[in-house]
Amino acid sequence: MNMISEGVKSLSISLTSQVARIIAALPQIMITVIVMLLSLFYFAKDYDKIGNSIVSYLPRSMAKKAPIIKNDIILVISKYIKSYMLLLLITFSILFSGFLILKVENSFVLAIIISIVDILPIFLKGKAQTILHIFSTVATLAFFAALLYAGSLV
């Protein structure tokens, strides 16, 4: 019994410090998101001007190839996104079928959430990725604890 209380105590201390780190990182995350959204707005607003300005600095031979290169880049990015969506679908399918076999309540929603959390570190960098990793680790531990608890009830 003492070992369990020590484990719970160390887990609560660790969880508290992780939550404090997340809260401390929130202002930086909010500023990053606001700057990113403003940049996105202004880039989208002046997209044609920016594109024409860049092309005007290129030699004529490269300027003629610029639309082809742009289309190739868009094609590669779309294939990249499609491949990760396929990975997301495979992860979801495995999780959903496993949850159905284990008879977990809300298995559809849980499979969606875990699949999305599983794919997010690929797209995120820096502190946001660290926060997500901490969240997913805690969520995974809680999920397995719930499964163990549910298994002990049967």
Side-chain angles (χ1 to χ4, degrees):
M1 191 66 162
N2 190 21
M3 193 166 115
I4 293 173
S5 65
E6 288 295 320
V8 170
K9 182 180 177 182
S10 67
L11 180 66
S12 66
I13 291 170
S14 173
L15 188 62
T16 304
S17 67
Q18 298 296 341
V19 168
R21 286 187 205 166
I22 291 171
I23 291 173
L26 282 177
Q28 182 179 359
I29 292 171
M30 289 175 48
I31 289 171
T32 303
V33 168
I34 290 169
V35 168
M36 187 176 69
L37 290 174
L38 286 172
S39 299
L40 178 68
F41 170 76
Y42 286 112
F43 273 110
K45 182 180 176 219
D46 294 335
Y47 179 76
D48 293 330
K49 290 179 186 177
I50 294 169
N52 292 336
S53 175
I54 291 171
V55 170
S56 71
Y57 289 109
L58 297 175
R60 287 188 186 262
S61 61
M62 286 187 75
K64 290 179 183 177
K65 294 178 184 176
I68 297 169
I69 295 171
K70 175 186 164 190
N71 290 336
D72 287 347
I73 290 172
I74 290 172
L75 181 68
V76 167
I77 290 172
S78 68
K79 286 183 180 181
Y80 179 79
I81 291 171
K82 286 177 187 177
S83 67
Y84 276 110
M85 289 301 115
L86 179 62
L87 287 174
L88 185 91
L89 181 65
I90 291 169
T91 304
F92 168 78
S93 301
I94 293 170
L95 285 168
F96 185 60
S97 59
F99 289 157
L100 286 179
I101 291 169
L102 294 173
K103 298 178 182 171
V104 175
E105 290 184 29
N106 300 320
S107 57
F108 184 77
V109 175
L110 283 174
I112 288 175
I113 291 170
I114 294 172
S115 297
I116 291 171
V117 168
D118 183 53
I119 202 92
L120 282 179
I122 293 167
F123 299 110
L124 300 177
K125 299 289 179 223
K127 289 192 185 260
Q129 185 176 7
T130 304
I131 290 169
L132 181 66
H133 178 69
I134 292 166
F135 172 75
S136 65
T137 302
V138 171
T140 303
L141 290 173
F143 173 73
F144 283 119
L147 280 179
L148 289 173
Y149 178 72
S152 68
L153 294 177
V154 176

